[in-house]
Amino acid sequence: MRKINFLIITESFVYKTGIRFLLEEMYVTGKIHYSEDLSQIEKSNADYIFVDTDLPDVKDLYKQIRSGNEGVWPVLIALIHHRKDKDLVSSGIFRHFLDLSQSKSEILHALAEITKNSFPPDRAPVREEKLSEREKSILRFVALGYTNKEIAEKLFISMHTVITHRKNITRKLGIKTVSGLTVYAILNQLIDMNNVG
Amino acid sequence: MITENNKMVDLVHKNYVLISVFSRFGISLGFGDKTIREVCEEKKIDLQFFLEIVNSFLDHDYFPREQLKSFPIRLIVDYLTKTHHEYLEITIPEIERVISGREGICYEDKEHNFLLNTFFQEYKDELIAHIKREDEQVFPYALEIEQCYLQKKPAETLPDTFRDYTISRYLQEHDDIEEKLFDLKNIIIKYLPPPKNPRLCYQVIVLLFNLEKDMNDHSRIEEKVFVPKVAMMEKVIGRNNSRQ
Ligand SMILES: [Fe+2]
Ligand SMILES: [Fe+2]
């Protein structure tokens, strides 16, 4: 799935870091960009744009909207300070409002609500951690002390493929070194301890 | 951000791991209500250096590379050497006691103890070799370079043993000593069965996490502060960095 892209437009350090903090809790893999400049809206390829409604030229957005630019814009989310502020910016350009006076759980909930259809939060991603048969056989060789080149020759595959497999093995197991992989292989009966030199 | 007027006790409350950073400066507990400035004056510690080390330790986004580079190599090397000493004399033996001591972690299956032990010993040997090379080769070299630099002597006056050495070679060979530590954690957390004395596992995990954090900080100072500073001085005294 494509990674979600955010843009936060504000001059406030606190807004910027606060919203980043919340987004990072929901999206481990997302990308977050910042700007202080409203004209970035038109250039940006973000999926969602947070707009600080206190920015001085926010009113110009309304003019642009009348000239019919709205269709090509990403989803705009207005950052407001209290529910009543909603009226101030309810002109149609903002698809959503994020009320910053709320508690953490309320804001997280609101964010999830906004993005749920196109990008469900990946806070608890289900990752495939089981090794494939191919990876297991490569792991066996690694644990027995074979080099990448030797493994490539034995299995009739390219060095590049071996390296890719090794990266995946390390990612899945959370083990980086050869001796660590050897311990794993012994513990899981992929090799016999007596075979290790 | 920590400033000279903060109390030492508040630093510890902020992050107790700093106690080991203090010890590298020769500061031990019992500082009452003394401020950082008072303690540094008392112990004749470079106040600014102490502050930068503490701040960059607490907050990795706060990394005053330029400021740290302004300190003499002697100060930086002294701090790094004391850290090495602490790893070898205190931290590693502490972990070793829990992993392979008589009263250490104990598994139902003897083979598991053996695996954990062997892996740890291998890590320890690697760490000792890593530190030895820095203490005996890299740091003395850097101090010589600093002497040349300060006394405006040309590179030709360097002692013979350092003729062919450059700091970029060190950077190339500087291996990632934290990787095995990372593995060790996961082997205990994920792959070995629960031991007969689970409380010890908790102990060792705390020690390993603290050591890893500290080592990341240490390597960062080596690579991002120490190396660029030496490279800058090499350049000034006319050593060609590309010569290997
Ligand atoms: Fe070191
Ligand atoms: Fe090092």
Side-chain angles (χ1 to χ4, degrees):
Chain A
M1 198 176 73
R2 198 167 68 78
K3 282 183 195 164
I4 190 165
N5 249 308
F6 295 102
L7 173 65
I8 304 172
I9 305 182
T10 180
E11 289 173 352
S12 155
F13 170 77
V14 174
Y15 283 7
K16 193 172 90 175
T17 43
I19 290 167
R20 179 182 72 189
F21 175 82
L22 293 164
L23 289 176
E24 281 175 350
E25 283 213 0
M26 296 173 62
Y27 294 98
V28 183
T29 57
K31 264 221 147 58
I32 305 171
H33 302 273
Y34 311 98
S35 175
E36 298 187 351
D37 180 6
L38 283 168
S39 71
Q40 287 299 318
I41 292 179
E42 281 168 282
K43 299 172 200 149
S44 166
N45 58 358
D47 301 296
Y48 295 93
I49 301 183
F50 296 89
V51 180
D52 181 354
T53 48
D54 275 347
L55 281 169
D57 10 323
V58 96
K59 294 210 169 51
D60 297 344
L61 281 179
Y62 305 112
K63 287 182 209 140
Q64 292 188 42
I65 213 77
R66 269 183 224 114
S67 55
N69 268 332
E70 186 195 14
V72 295
W73 287 2
V75 178
L76 297 188
I77 302 162
L79 301 176
I80 57 176
H81 317 287
H82 211 277
R83 269 175 202 104
K84 65 177 177 359
D85 291 346
K86 232 171 161 173
D87 306 331
L88 299 174
V89 283
S90 63
S91 60
I93 33 172
F94 295 107
R95 198 108 41 100
H96 302 279
F97 300 89
L98 199 60
D99 181 353
L100 301 175
S101 65
Q102 298 178 101
S103 71
K104 180 179 176 186
S105 63
E106 283 170 323
I107 295 188
L108 278 178
H109 192 79
L111 279 171
E113 217 27 57
I114 290 171
T115 56
K116 73 175 175 199
N117 290 325
S118 32
F119 293 91
D122 58 5
R123 199 173 350 160
V126 185
R127 282 184 292 159
E128 184 52 68
E129 305 287 17
K130 271 183 79 176
L131 296 183
S132 68
E133 283 310 313
R134 212 342 104 70
E135 285 162 350
K136 274 188 198 164
S137 62
I138 286 172
L139 174 56
R140 241 176 247 125
F141 284 118
V142 174
L144 291 171
Y146 288 77
T147 65
N148 286 344
K149 192 161 170 268
E150 287 166 338
I151 298 172
E153 280 162 11
K154 283 229 172 240
L155 296 175
F156 305 106
I157 52 179
S158 72
M159 275 272 275
H160 180 78
T161 313
V162 177
I163 291 168
T164 310
H165 280 303
R166 286 194 59 167
K167 274 192 193 140
N168 288 334
I169 294 170
T170 287
R171 182 182 49 78
K172 286 184 183 178
L173 299 182
I175 297 189
K176 295 176 179 172
T177 66
V178 172
S179 21
L181 291 171
T182 308
V183 171
Y184 174 87
I186 296 172
L187 286 175
N188 290 278
Q189 275 108 40
L190 291 173
I191 58 167
D192 191 35
M193 189 139 82
N194 303 320
N195 294 336
V196 186
Chain B
M1 202 183 110
I2 302 298
T3 64
E4 57 186 79
N5 293 322
N6 283 102
K7 286 180 186 170
M8 291 295 284
V9 56
D10 293 336
L11 276 184
V12 181
H13 280 289
K14 216 173 173 110
N15 187 344
Y16 65 89
V17 181
L18 276 175
I19 291 176
S20 64
V21 174
F22 294 169
S23 74
R24 292 164 206 160
F25 286 95
I27 304 171
S28 41
L29 297 180
F31 16 67
D33 279 316
K34 281 182 197 151
T35 63
I36 294 178
R37 181 162 27 82
E38 285 166 342
V39 168
C40 283
E41 273 167 12
E42 211 172 86
K43 301 259 174 191
K44 301 205 171 18
I45 295 163
D46 189 306
L47 175 64
Q48 290 313 317
F49 185 64
F50 181 82
L51 284 173
E52 299 302 0
I53 292 283
V54 165
N55 273 316
S56 63
F57 186 90
L58 286 175
D59 178 4
H60 274 196
D61 289 331
Y62 176 91
F63 194 51
R65 209 170 297 171
E66 292 313 311
Q67 254 147 298
L68 274 171
K69 267 196 252 169
S70 71
F71 297 108
I73 282 288
R74 183 181 42 80
L75 264 188
I76 302 170
V77 162
D78 185 57
Y79 179 75
L80 294 173
T81 312
K82 290 212 168 102
T83 312
H84 287 166
H85 192 260
E86 180 189 308
Y87 290 161
L88 296 186
E89 302 300 321
I90 299 168
T91 325
I92 292 294
E94 213 168 33
I95 296 173
E96 192 167 21
R97 260 197 301 280
V98 189
I99 283 191
S100 45
R102 213 177 258 276
E103 314 269 290
I105 296 178
C106 181
Y107 291 98
E108 205 71 63
D109 184 343
K110 275 206 184 103
E111 193 183 79
H112 291 154
N113 268 5
F114 174 79
L115 279 173
L116 182 60
N117 244 314
T118 321
F119 188 80
F120 178 75
Q121 290 306 325
E122 230 176 84
Y123 170 67
K124 186 178 145 188
D125 293 344
E126 220 173 79
L127 181 67
I128 291 174
H130 181 108
I131 287 180
K132 199 171 157 181
R133 190 158 55 103
E134 289 174 350
D135 283 350
E136 293 179 2
Q137 192 180 358
V138 187
F139 293 169
Y141 168 75
L143 291 170
E144 284 292 342
I145 291 286
E146 187 180 46
Q147 281 312 308
C148 282
Y149 173 80
L150 292 175
Q151 296 165 15
K152 301 201 165 53
K153 287 193 293 190
E156 284 67 41
T157 57
L158 275 176
D160 277 347
T161 30
F162 299 129
R163 246 332 116 68
D164 293 323
Y165 200 76
T166 62
I167 205 69
S168 67
R169 204 172 99 194
Y170 162 66
L171 192 59
Q172 272 168 24
E173 295 167 352
H174 196 220
D175 43 334
D176 192 341
I177 201 69
E178 291 100 284
E179 278 189 352
K180 267 215 172 86
L181 200 56
F182 177 88
D183 288 1
L184 185 56
K185 267 178 5 199
N186 271 343
I187 287 173
I188 297 175
I189 300 172
K190 281 177 86 177
Y191 299 118
L192 281 166
K196 289 201 250 175
N197 36 12
R199 181 76 196 166
L200 288 183
C201 266
Y202 171 69
Q203 254 182 48
V204 87
I205 295 289
V206 172
L207 289 170
L208 291 176
F209 269 99
N210 286 346
L211 179 60
E212 193 185 23
K213 154 102 178 77
D214 202 277
M215 275 188 176
N216 282 330
D217 198 64
H218 178 81
S219 303
R220 208 166 52 127
I221 296 177
E222 285 176 345
E223 294 188 0
K224 301 275 157 56
V225 180
F226 171 74
V227 169
K229 168 124 196 173
V230 178
M232 179 276 289
M233 294 190 297
E234 276 178 340
K235 217 168 163 187
V236 172
I237 64 169
R239 269 174 89 74
N240 184 0
N241 273 328
S242 62
R243 191 175 66 195
Q244 291 292 317

